[in-house]
Amino acid sequence: MRVGDLRGMLDRADESNRVIPYAIRNELRFYDRTLLSELGGTGAASGGSSESADVPLARVAERREDLEDRYVEGRRDHNHSIPLHFLSLVDALADEAERAAATGDDARAAGLCAAADETLDHVTQLYERNEYSVMLRRLRG
């Protein structure tokens, strides 16, 4: 029920409203990491099977490209030095995962992909927090 409400809010939000997607992602992250584990679900915090536990290398590459298109290329007024440092870490993890997969070490490759995916989550959060701060400063005048 709540997820449907959140989808509706997201559908109604226009491009200039960046608070709603940020708030929805945080609420869903709370449900996944905290609430589900408390209820005995399979959220990431419960140690159960999460989506990032088996992240394909192609998904990591796609997420990295989307993040760069959306934030790095889309926000030329921002200092990207710290996020770019972590994006280079994602590149290194992905390269190492590819080498591990090529040598048949699938468990290592999966772990490296999961680490790259989680690093992308953190870089996304850096940008979202920055956007939220900028929006609050604009609202204050």
Side-chain angles (χ1 to χ4, degrees), residues 24 30 38 42 51 98 114 122 124 127 141:
I24 288 172
F30 164 77
E38 293 294 321
T42 59
E51 185 179 332
E98 196 170 341
H122 291 288
T124 301
Y127 279 112

Side-chain angles (χ1 to χ4, degrees), residues 45-114:
S46 68
S49 165
S50 72
E51 185 179 332
S52 66
D54 190 23
V55 180
L57 190 55
R59 178 169 174 240
V60 169
E62 180 181 313
R63 282 193 66 205
R64 194 235 183 269
E65 185 178 322
D66 289 346
L67 197 144
E68 187 163 359
D69 288 346
R70 180 175 178 191
Y71 294 111
V72 178
E73 297 299 321
R75 298 287 315 261
R76 298 201 184 276
D77 60 336
H78 181 72
N79 180 349
H80 301 282
S81 58
I82 293 172
L84 285 174
H85 171 78
F86 287 102
L87 288 177
S88 69
L89 173 63
V90 168
D91 293 339
L93 290 166
D95 290 345
E96 188 62 29
E98 196 170 341
R99 283 192 290 279
T103 62
D105 193 351
D106 295 334
R108 179 171 165 70
L112 290 163
C113 283

